[in-house]
Amino acid sequence: MTDTFEIFLATAPGLEPALFEEVRGKGFKRPKAVPGGVVIQGGWPEVWRANLWVRGASRVLARIAEFRVVHLAQLDEKARRVDWAGVLRADVPFRVEASCAKSRIYHSGAAAQRIETAIRETLGAPMANGQAEDGVLVQVRLENDQCTISVDTSGEPLHKRGYKQAVNPAPMRETMASLFLLSCGYDGTEPLVDPMCGAGTFVIEAAEIAARLNPGRSRAFAFEHLTTFDAEAWQVMRAVRSGRVPVARCHGSDRDAGAIEMCRANAERAGVTAFTKFRQAPISDLTPPEGPPGLVIVNPPYGSRMGEGTDLVPLYRAFGQVLMSRFAGWRVGLVTADSRLAHATRLPFLPPGAPVPHGGLRVTLYRTGPLG
């Protein structure tokens, strides 16, 4: 590998533009939105930084080799020429996942087996056993007879920040929540309200943004088990604190007392208790906090997500009425899988973005400008 290579930051389809804006805003070189994520150029320090800094990426892949291949014997030969020892450690287990599309090599299992054998016989590293999360993951993609080999540098998916031990049914991933916040124009300088806060994901994510806390500050990463890892340099990078005291609080409410307890525990683990406020309350009691207008964002129940149906229309209608009557000047972001429920609020939504896969459904973020 050279000092500079392609680094792929993955996200859910439909969220690539939002992730591009985040990556560009954080100063990474030559970001480019592509299907499924964003590509940047950099070296191993950029890999570490992307895992530590970027809120919206689900994982970070380092692309370590690329070549054209049309049959398995050729794949075997070229895989043995890859400098595996320059990236993988001989004492760390690994596993391989392969996918094939529009290529003469069409059997993903056979392709994965050839790569596994090449690594095992040239490097001597053991195959991972047990859980799918065990070992360093090598990803192989064959598309149009072009083979791209990447190493997953994240390990556990990046939405696992390390604080959310308690979750409610149908939880939203932190990575998705952060990109929805970004899409609503939230930058941490205004108050935020989530009146159906569940496990507190939107509120805690917003508080971290407001306090400028790195999303990866409390977890480990797969790149720590690669030969390219420099523990001393990583500690220096990780020790940098760019925190600020938020100028506005992030508020969450929910009618479920258990959800509020869950939120407070999660906020304490995340270190944002001082910047968040949670209370048990129904939608009918919702009022704006003191201070300037900000953002109301909500991920309410929507039909099959929690086994409910069209009886949710009154909830959405009441939510819209409360916002229109009490939240003048506030913007709204609403996530739902059912456009009929969104429009039942009678809120003046802007044209929606692309649907995004979430929990077996496709959800859409509906946004408004400042309410009149």
Side-chain angles (χ1 to χ4, degrees):
M1 294 188 69
T2 60
D3 290 339
T4 301
F5 49 89
E6 273 195 353
I7 303 164
F8 178 69
L9 286 69
T11 192
L15 291 175
E16 297 95 341
L19 180 61
F20 171 79
E21 291 301 325
E22 181 191 5
V23 170
R24 184 174 65 172
K26 288 183 174 170
F28 289 93
K29 293 179 183 176
R30 290 187 285 166
K32 179 183 176 184
V34 298
V38 171
V39 172
I40 61 173
Q41 303 292 322
W44 291 102
E46 284 70 38
V47 168
W48 307 340
R49 201 170 287 118
N51 278 286
L52 180 64
W53 284 2
V54 177
R55 292 194 163 274
S58 57
R59 60 181 66 250
V60 177
L61 303 178
R63 291 181 167 164
I64 65 170
E66 190 168 6
F67 47 80
R68 182 173 169 78
V69 64
V70 296
H71 52 78
L72 287 170
Q74 190 178 35
L75 177 62
D76 183 78
E77 176 193 351
K78 292 191 174 184
R80 291 171 185 271
R81 294 186 204 162
V82 174
D83 180 19
W84 299 111
V87 181
L88 303 180
R89 282 170 36 185
D91 62 327
V92 174
F94 73 95
R95 57 194 174 91
V96 177
E97 290 180 359
S99 63
C100 304
K102 301 176 185 175
S103 295
R104 276 170 274 192
I105 296 176
Y106 57 86
H107 194 299
S108 58
Q113 191 174 46
R114 295 301 173 107
I115 302 294
E116 289 168 0
T117 301
I119 297 172
R120 211 171 52 244
E121 294 185 357
T122 60
L123 180 66
M127 290 284 296
N129 294 313
Q131 300 298 317
E133 292 78 20
D134 289 349
V136 173
L137 172 62
V138 176
Q139 286 199 340
V140 180
R141 178 160 180 78
L142 283 150
E143 187 169 8
N144 296 317
D145 295 330
Q146 194 73 7
C147 178
T148 303
I149 299 177
S150 305
V151 172
D152 174 11
T153 69
S154 302
E156 281 202 303
L158 292 177
H159 75 271
K160 297 187 176 182
R161 310 282 201 226
Y163 70 80
K164 193 197 277 184
Q165 295 177 16
V167 296
N168 60 324
M172 175 164 288
R173 291 185 171 183
E174 289 76 0
T175 44
M176 181 178 290
S178 72
L179 293 181
F180 283 154
L181 287 166
L182 179 65
S183 299
C184 289
Y186 181 79
D187 64 1
T189 61
E190 61 185 340
L192 176 133
V193 171
D194 181 350
M196 303 182 206
C197 61
T201 303
F202 273 130
V203 178
I204 295 170
E205 203 68 19
E208 290 193 359
I209 293 169
R212 287 187 178 160
L213 299 174
N214 288 326
R217 66 192 181 280
S218 300
R219 53 161 288 165
F221 300 96
F223 64 70
E224 297 174 49
H225 302 290
L226 302 178
T227 58
T228 53
F229 182 58
D230 182 331
E232 188 175 340
W234 169 238
Q235 287 307 317
V236 170
M237 183 183 293
R238 195 171 198 162
V240 174
R241 297 284 186 267
S242 58
R244 67 180 172 189
V245 177
V247 295
R249 271 194 178 185
C250 299
H251 301 258
S253 60
D254 201 287
R255 65 184 181 183
D256 180 0
I260 296 305
E261 288 181 21
M262 195 188 306
C263 290
R264 288 173 178 154
N266 288 336
E268 185 173 0
R269 280 187 289 268
V272 295
T273 298
F275 320 134
T276 57
K277 187 173 182 179
F278 295 99
R279 71 186 185 105
Q280 182 186 3
I283 288 293
S284 57
D285 286 353
L286 183 63
T287 55
E290 290 184 10
L295 174 67
V296 177
I297 191 162
V298 62
N299 177 34
Y302 32 84
S304 59
R305 185 184 74 145
M306 296 178 70
E308 295 157 323
T310 54
D311 57 338
L312 290 167
V313 168
L315 171 67
Y316 279 71
R317 187 173 295 137
F319 175 61
Q321 289 170 348
V322 166
L323 293 184
M324 291 299 292
S325 63
R326 303 175 192 170
F327 281 77
W330 287 69
R331 306 185 318 284
V332 180
L334 184 148
V335 180
T336 183
D338 190 333
S339 63
R340 293 169 302 173
L341 292 175
H343 294 302
T345 65
R346 298 179 183 172
L347 292 169
F349 291 120
L350 303 169
V356 178
H358 169 55
L361 299 172
R362 295 181 70 79
V363 300
T364 300
L365 173 66
Y366 293 86
R367 300 172 299 122
T368 75
L371 298 178

